[in-house]
Amino acid sequence: MTISLPLHMQRWRKFKNVFMIGLCFLSAIVVIAPLFIIFGYTLSQGIGALNLDFFIHMPKPVGEPGGGMANAIVGTLIMVGLGAVFGLPIGIMAGIYLAEFGKNAFGFTVRFLSDVLSGIPSIVVGVVAYILVVMPMSHFSAFAGGVALAILMIPTITRTTEEMIRLVPHTLRESSLALGIPSWKTTLRIILPTATKGITTGILLALARAAGETAPLLFTALGNRFWSTSLNEPIASLTVFIYDYAKAPFDDWNRQAWAAAFVLIAMVFVVNLAFRFVTRSRYGTSHN
Amino acid sequence: MELATIEELEAPTMEIPQATQPEIKTIPEKMIAQNLNCFFGKTQAIKNVTLSIPTQKVLAIIGPSGCGKSTFLRSLNRMHEVAGGTMTGTVLLDGLNIYDSDPVVVRRRVGMVFQKANPFPMMSIFDNVAAGLRLNGLGDKNKVNEIVERSLKQAALWDEVKDSLNKSGMSLSGGQQQRLCIARTLAVDPEVVLMDEPASALDPISTAKIEELIYDLKKNYTITIVTHNMQQAARVSDYTAFFYVGELIEVDDTKTMFTAPRKKRTEDYITGRFG
Ligand SMILES: Nc1ncnc2c1ncn2[C@@H]1O[C@H](COP(=O)(O)OP(=O)(O)O)[C@@H](O)[C@H]1O
Ligand SMILES: [Mg+2]
């Protein structure tokens, strides 16, 4: 027995179907369009300053043309790396705690405060790091910048780790426990690897956000026109350079600011790809 | 030789307190549940069950859905508590109360196969079988290889996967995945294997393979299988226990159970009058 609708109803239904799919497709385009626009625009504005010198030379004094931002590129890498060194272990372990043992008042409180923390403006985090690190040390430093970035990363990493662990089916944990595998090994060796894909996405978001922060670095790392890799000294960063150079009244500095913006985006992009490559599933997801 | 004798001497000889177990009484029991009550919060899923599990035989547990079959099974390797349940009573394994032992050790000795096949998704076929060994600290590669091969053979899967051990466990068919999970369970060398409706999600051919497998395994293992399929219980088991709303109604050797049950309720269930 078949039920067939009148022809005009069928057409109307098909039209609605195509219309909705089209709408979703358009929305998807709107989502990625800004990225291409930003990428294209920064490239077109900064291309004049993008050359090998930009990557391997130091900034030139005012008035002298040329020069590069080698110190700022390294500074950004150092501070984001430092933030990751502090932020990843704490965020991931806190996420594991919340997922595994967080069904109590303490877990609820941590979860709630972590969400609040992720909504705090980054400039406030910068001030906090200033009070916590810069004032006791009585000078600006790369270390302080790394701490500020870690504070910004931790809530994102914590919450994604927790959510992704929670998404792992309960039956998987039970199968592991039923093999006589202890609970903590089950979490670290069975559950965590299964959740890696999702956690990686969270980590990348956190890293990208940290790499793009300016305000917290103004209060902590300050900036530096000279070469430094010391954690104990003020250090340059791409974002602070963009901030300084973009508002300067010199055309070549403005161009360099655009070039720095482009390099920053490209770095985030490359790190993204590299991370995904390293943590990719050996089997993909196509088997399911 | 001497050691063996001492062990024999000290082997616990236990009386089975339950009057409804005339047949099983005469053969040695691997496990005994005594006055077992299982709860989920305030709901009682198992009510004062005493049942013994005969050594190297297949015991089938049947009964309508929700009668507590899974709960009973999971109380035998301390998985009940993993789901947040509580219990009273004792469960003896070779005479020792498993609730006085380390759950990790208990679960190595009493393995479990679940209803839905669930290979570890990030692992290859080989790694799935090796997981229990490696994560319990067996580092010797040759030994691991040897046990993985042996376990896959025991689970009647070796011939089908021996050339693709590095493929994802998820790439196998449903029936193969379930046999992979059986191999994974056997690899840690348990003495008892609990199976919770292991074939209920499989096609008839895969089901037949699993049943054949169970028949072979009882030479070396004590097996308890939950099934809602009475033909299956009749085919694979030596003994059958019938549960109804959390109580053990009757247990007997499978033939008697299906031809001459002593309780009216059992008869009604077996003949399909309810359930
Ligand atoms: N995780 C759980 N939480 C609360 N109640 C449960 C849980 N699992 C099972 N139950 C209850 O326990 C009883 C027995 O369930 P179960 O042992 O799964 O039955 P069966 O396997 O015979 O279908 C049912 O009433 C069921 O609703
Ligand atoms: Mg069940």
Side-chain angles (χ1 to χ4, degrees):
Chain A
M1 60 167 208
T2 56
I3 302 165
S4 63
L5 291 167
L7 202 61
H8 71 278
M9 292 285 281
Q10 288 187 28
R11 285 220 187 101
W12 172 234
R13 202 195 57 218
K14 276 187 187 152
F15 169 77
K16 277 195 294 186
N17 195 31
V18 169
F19 180 75
M20 285 314 292
I21 292 175
L23 217 55
C24 292
F25 180 73
L26 271 179
S27 307
I29 298 279
V30 171
V31 169
I32 56 168
L35 179 66
F36 283 101
I37 294 169
I38 292 169
F39 219 65
Y41 194 72
T42 46
L43 184 62
S44 70
Q45 296 294 308
I47 190 116
L50 264 182
N51 45 37
L52 190 61
D53 282 4
F54 184 85
F55 293 93
I56 60 173
H57 281 287
M58 301 295 296
K60 286 273 164 67
V62 183
E64 275 185 51
M69 293 196 180
N71 57 340
I73 294 172
V74 170
T76 289
L77 287 175
I78 286 179
M79 280 188 291
V80 173
L82 201 61
V85 166
F86 295 136
L88 285 184
I90 294 176
I92 290 175
M93 285 193 283
I96 292 174
Y97 176 84
L98 288 182
E100 299 280 316
F101 314 100
K103 279 186 192 146
N104 47 28
F106 178 68
F108 179 84
T109 312
V110 173
R111 195 174 294 119
F112 176 72
L113 292 183
S114 155
D115 286 350
V116 172
L117 183 58
S118 70
I120 287 181
S122 60
I123 192 160
V124 177
V125 172
V127 174
V128 169
Y130 177 83
I131 294 167
L132 287 181
V133 186
V134 177
M135 297 224 305
M137 288 171 74
S138 65
H139 59 85
F140 297 101
S141 66
F143 178 77
V147 170
L149 295 186
I151 295 173
L152 283 166
M153 287 182 198
I154 286 171
T156 316
I157 298 173
T158 303
R159 295 292 272 132
T160 8
T161 304
E162 181 194 359
E163 295 300 329
M164 292 305 134
I165 288 180
R166 278 186 195 282
L167 281 182
V168 176
H170 197 65
T171 51
L172 220 56
R173 172 190 314 277
E174 292 202 337
S175 306
S176 172
L177 292 175
L179 288 174
I181 298 173
S183 187
W184 63 274
K185 266 193 193 170
T186 296
T187 301
L188 288 186
R189 305 286 300 277
I190 305 286
I191 308 293
L192 207 53
T194 310
T196 305
K197 244 199 176 127
I199 296 175
T200 304
T201 307
I203 291 173
L204 287 171
L205 271 174
L207 287 179
R209 185 179 167 206
E213 284 295 347
T214 317
L217 299 182
L218 290 172
F219 290 98
T220 51
L222 188 64
N224 191 338
R225 292 192 62 81
F226 303 101
W227 179 260
S228 168
T229 54
S230 163
L231 299 185
N232 205 20
E233 307 275 330
I235 198 167
S237 62
L238 282 168
T239 45
V240 173
F241 254 106
I242 295 170
Y243 177 71
D244 288 339
Y245 274 43
K247 61 184 187 187
F250 316 116
D251 275 350
D252 57 337
W253 278 31
N254 294 159
R255 254 198 311 281
Q256 286 200 327
W258 283 110
F262 179 80
V263 168
L264 191 58
I265 297 170
M267 269 164 57
V268 168
F269 192 73
V270 168
V271 169
N272 229 297
L273 282 182
F275 233 99
R276 280 185 200 281
F277 181 77
V278 171
T279 59
R280 77 199 180 286
S281 152
R282 272 158 72 203
Y283 306 111
T285 47
S286 57
H287 295 300
N288 297 346
Chain B
M1 284 306 286
E2 258 179 29
L3 269 178
T5 332
I6 290 168
E7 270 177 10
E8 268 170 33
L9 279 175
E10 290 188 344
T13 46
M14 217 138 334
E15 274 226 79
I16 296 169
Q18 189 120 349
T20 52
Q21 269 183 278
E23 294 302 318
I24 301 187
K25 205 189 293 185
T26 54
I27 61 152
E29 59 274 345
K30 185 71 184 171
M31 297 186 81
I32 309 174
Q34 284 173 330
N35 307 109
L36 188 70
N37 294 285
C38 298
F39 305 85
F40 288 102
K42 286 198 177 104
T43 352
Q44 184 163 7
I46 289 293
K47 294 170 190 154
N48 198 31
V49 168
T50 297
L51 175 63
S52 64
I53 295 169
T55 308
Q56 287 175 17
K57 300 282 177 197
V58 177
L59 170 70
I61 296 177
I62 59 170
S65 176
C67 70
K69 304 181 295 292
S70 298
T71 306
F72 176 75
L73 200 71
R74 292 164 58 90
S75 72
L76 298 178
N77 70 340
R78 300 195 56 169
M79 290 303 288
H80 179 56
E81 64 207 58
V82 172
T86 54
M87 53 77 70
T88 64
T90 51
V91 176
L92 305 180
L93 171 62
D94 287 340
L96 291 176
N97 188 359
I98 63 169
Y99 286 89
D100 293 335
S101 323
D102 180 356
V104 169
V105 177
V106 170
R107 291 176 197 140
R108 270 175 220 170
R109 295 180 61 190
V110 186
M112 182 164 232
V113 176
F114 295 81
Q115 180 169 2
K116 194 170 168 293
N118 49 2
F120 299 132
M122 304 298 285
M123 293 188 189
S124 67
I125 292 170
F126 185 95
D127 291 345
N128 259 283
V129 184
L133 300 167
R134 289 181 178 151
L135 294 185
N136 283 322
L138 182 65
D140 182 344
K141 271 194 182 162
N142 291 331
K143 193 96 198 202
V144 171
N145 287 342
E146 194 181 297
I147 295 175
V148 167
E149 181 174 340
R150 188 201 71 202
S151 306
L152 283 168
K153 279 179 177 159
Q154 277 182 307
L157 188 59
W158 177 252
D159 290 334
E160 290 156 64
V161 302
K162 63 169 185 277
D163 299 319
S164 51
L165 292 173
N166 287 322
K167 274 203 195 157
S168 165
M170 307 300 284
S171 66
L172 300 172
S173 74
Q176 289 173 322
Q177 286 190 18
Q178 190 61 295
R179 278 179 284 145
L180 179 64
C181 291
I182 292 174
R184 179 172 76 183
T185 302
L186 297 179
V188 291
D189 203 22
E191 297 152 50
V192 182
V193 179
L194 309 173
M195 300 185 172
D196 193 351
E197 308 198 22
S200 67
L202 303 180
D203 61 272
I205 293 174
S206 304
T207 302
K209 276 193 181 146
I210 302 266
E211 288 179 9
E212 247 172 75
L213 182 59
I214 292 170
Y215 194 82
D216 288 337
L217 288 178
K218 75 174 175 189
K219 289 176 202 127
N220 300 309
Y221 302 91
T222 298
I223 295 172
T224 301
I225 177 175
V226 166
T227 174
H228 60 226
N229 176 335
M230 275 170 292
Q231 285 77 27
Q232 184 170 67
R235 281 192 299 262
V236 302
S237 70
D238 303 295
Y239 298 91
T240 300
F242 172 58
F243 278 60
Y244 185 69
V245 283
E247 292 180 54
L248 171 64
I249 303 298
E250 185 168 355
V251 54
D252 217 324
D253 73 276
T254 297
K255 209 173 184 182
T256 316
M257 191 80 164
F258 281 98
T259 52
R262 281 166 295 137
K263 297 270 170 70
K264 175 94 173 42
R265 234 202 246 306
T266 319
E267 189 181 337
D268 286 351
Y269 181 68
I270 290 171
T271 53
R273 262 192 280 262
F274 80 98

